[in-house]
Amino acid sequence: MASNQTSVFIDGEAGTTGLGIRRRLEAVPEIVLRSLPAAQRKDPSARQDLMAACSLVVLCLPDDAAREAVVLAEALGDDSPKLLDASTAHRVDPEWTYGFPEMEGDQPGKIAAARKVSNPGCYPTGAIGLLRPLVLAGLVPPDYPITINAVSGYSGGGRSAIEVHDRDRGPAFELYALGLEHKHVPEIERFAGLSRRPIFVPSVGHFRQGMLISIPLYLDELPGRPTGTRLKEALHAFYEGSEYVTVAVGNEAGKVEAEALNDTNRLELYVWANEARRQAVLVARLDNLGKGASGAAVQNLRLMLGLDARPEPT
C-alpha cells in the first residue's frame, strides 16, 4: 500500500449499499479497500483483525449486527478505526455525529472531527432537507402537523425486494409501514427540528432506484401566512453555495418524476404553491442509492479522512 493511501474496510460489502460504496471508492486513488474472504465475513475475530489494520470501517449491516460490530471495533482501544454506520442503529445516538453535511454550516467540520458518524436514511435526507431550513427560519412551527408521503424505487427494500421485482416484476405500486412506526421517523423528527411526531407514509414503485418525498402545507396555518415564494427563498438562502443540494425550478406541467437523479449524489428541492388556494407542497428528489445511501456515505467518508469532499459520481 502506498504511503499516501488510506485503508478502508466495508463490513457488509455484499449488500446493496456496500456494493454501491465499493463501486464509488474504487475510483478514489487515495483509498485502498480491504476485504475478507467470503468464508470469514461473519467471523468476529477475522473482522476485528481487519478493523485494526484499517483507518476507517463502513458498517453496511442490519442494526443488531452494526451494534455488535461497534463493540468489536471499540474493543481495540487505541487501534480502533473511525466508524461510518450506514444502518439505522445509531442515527439518534448522541455519541454519534449525524452525517448530513448540508444540514448546518459547521456540519462538515463536525463530521471531519468525528470518530463515529451515522449515515442518514434515504427518506430522512429528503424530509430533513425540506423541513429543517423552514423550521429554523420560523416559517414552519415545530409542532405543525406534518404529513410526509414518499415513494422509493424497489432497491430501497434490499436484496429480497430486488429479487422479487427483478424476477416476478413485483407490484406496480405498494404502500407499506401503515402501522405508522417506520424506523426513519425518529431521525426525521429530531433533525428536522420537529416537536410533534410527523405522519410518514412510505411506498415503493416498480422502478429500481430513485425517490420522491412530498410534504403538503396549508399556507394560512403557518406563522405570518407566507407565500410559496417566501418558502422557496428560505430554502435558497439555507443552501446557497451547496454543491449537492439545489432548490430547483418547477415546470408548468406541475410534474416531477423520481429517476432523474439516479447515480448521482444530488438532492433537488421544490416548492409547488397555489396562492389562490393558499396551499403548497414541498418536494424532494434524490437517488435512494446515491444521496440516500452510498453517495452520502462516500461524501462523509471523504470528510472523515480529510480528503476532497467530492464523492464519485457527482
Side-chain angles (χ1 to χ4, degrees), residues 231-248:
L231 299 179
K232 183 180 289 188
E233 288 172 347
L235 291 174
H236 267 297
F238 193 88
Y239 294 110
E240 184 177 4
S242 174
E243 184 171 4
Y244 299 111
V245 182
T246 58
V247 182

Side-chain angles (χ1 to χ4, degrees), residues 36-51:
L36 287 170
Q40 294 183 321
R41 288 176 183 169
K42 294 185 179 181
D43 181 339
S45 179
R47 289 163 62 209
Q48 189 178 53
D49 287 346
L50 188 52
M51 288 178 179

Side-chain angles (χ1 to χ4, degrees), residues 7-9 34 49-57 79-82:
S7 56
V8 172
F9 168 40
R34 304 286 299 274
D49 287 346
L50 188 52
M51 288 178 179
C54 292
S55 298
L56 186 146
V57 174
D79 292 327
S80 65
K82 291 187 174 185

Side-chain angles (χ1 to χ4, degrees), residues 20-311:
I21 294 171
R22 183 175 185 86
R23 176 173 61 84
R24 286 167 167 82
L25 290 182
E26 284 173 345
V28 181
E30 302 95 332
I31 288 173
V32 170
L33 289 168
R34 304 286 299 274
S35 298
L36 287 170
Q40 294 183 321
R41 288 176 183 169
K42 294 185 179 181
D43 181 339
S45 179
R47 289 163 62 209
Q48 189 178 53
D49 287 346
L50 188 52
M51 288 178 179
C54 292
S55 298
L56 186 146
V57 174
V58 186
L59 306 179
C60 296
L61 303 164
D63 286 4
D64 287 344
R67 294 185 185 97
E68 293 170 359
V70 172
V71 172
L72 289 176
E74 292 185 337
L76 293 167
D78 292 342
D79 292 327
S80 65
K82 291 187 174 185
L83 298 174
L84 175 59
D85 185 10
S87 80
T88 316
H90 301 101
R91 289 183 186 156
V92 294
D93 187 327
E95 294 185 1
W96 288 66
T97 299
Y98 194 60
F100 192 168
E102 294 85 3
M103 81 174 195
E104 288 287 356
D106 62 349
Q107 197 67 15
K110 292 179 179 178
I111 294 167
R115 301 230 22 115
K116 297 188 292 186
V117 173
S118 58
N119 212 52
C122 49
Y123 292 123
T125 295
I128 295 165
L130 288 167
L131 289 169
R132 185 180 178 90
L134 303 182
V135 172
L136 291 175
L139 295 171
V140 173
D143 63 351
Y144 186 88
I146 294 289
T147 298
I148 302 167
N149 301 294
V151 60
S152 173
Y154 60 79
S155 58
R159 181 176 298 174
S160 60
I162 292 171
E163 289 176 353
V164 168
H165 279 267
D166 285 350
R167 183 184 66 242
D168 303 326
R169 288 195 54 82
F173 182 84
E174 185 177 40
L175 293 173
Y176 68 100
L178 292 175
L180 303 180
E181 290 290 349
H182 194 284
K183 63 181 182 179
H184 285 169
V185 172
E187 67 180 291
I188 294 174
E189 185 175 5
R190 176 173 178 180
F191 295 108
L194 303 177
S195 60
R196 184 176 187 173
R197 181 182 174 88
I199 294 175
F200 176 46
V201 185
S203 60
V204 61
H206 184 63
F207 53 97
R208 186 176 180 86
Q209 63 193 88
M211 174 171 282
L212 294 173
I213 295 99
S214 61
I215 303 172
L217 299 172
Y218 286 96
L219 296 174
D220 287 340
E221 300 300 318
L222 301 178
R225 303 176 66 223
T227 61
T229 298
R230 178 70 187 93
L231 299 179
K232 183 180 289 188
E233 288 172 347
L235 291 174
H236 267 297
F238 193 88
Y239 294 110
E240 184 177 4
S242 174
E243 184 171 4
Y244 299 111
V245 182
T246 58
V247 182
V249 177
N251 53 64
E252 292 184 1
K255 296 180 180 180
V256 59
E257 57 89 18
E259 299 175 276
L261 299 183
N262 285 2
D263 299 317
T264 78
N265 193 54
R266 293 166 53 201
L267 170 64
E268 287 182 350
L269 308 177
Y270 297 82
V271 178
W272 304 87
N274 184 323
E275 297 297 346
R277 303 292 186 183
R278 301 296 295 149
Q279 295 175 332
V281 60
L282 312 175
V283 178
R285 173 164 63 184
L286 66 156
D287 179 3
N288 61 293
L289 298 182
K291 186 61 171 167
S294 302
V298 173
Q299 185 180 359
N300 285 320
L301 182 148
R302 298 190 73 125
L303 287 168
M304 295 172 74
L305 295 178
L307 305 176
D308 178 351
R310 178 184 294 275

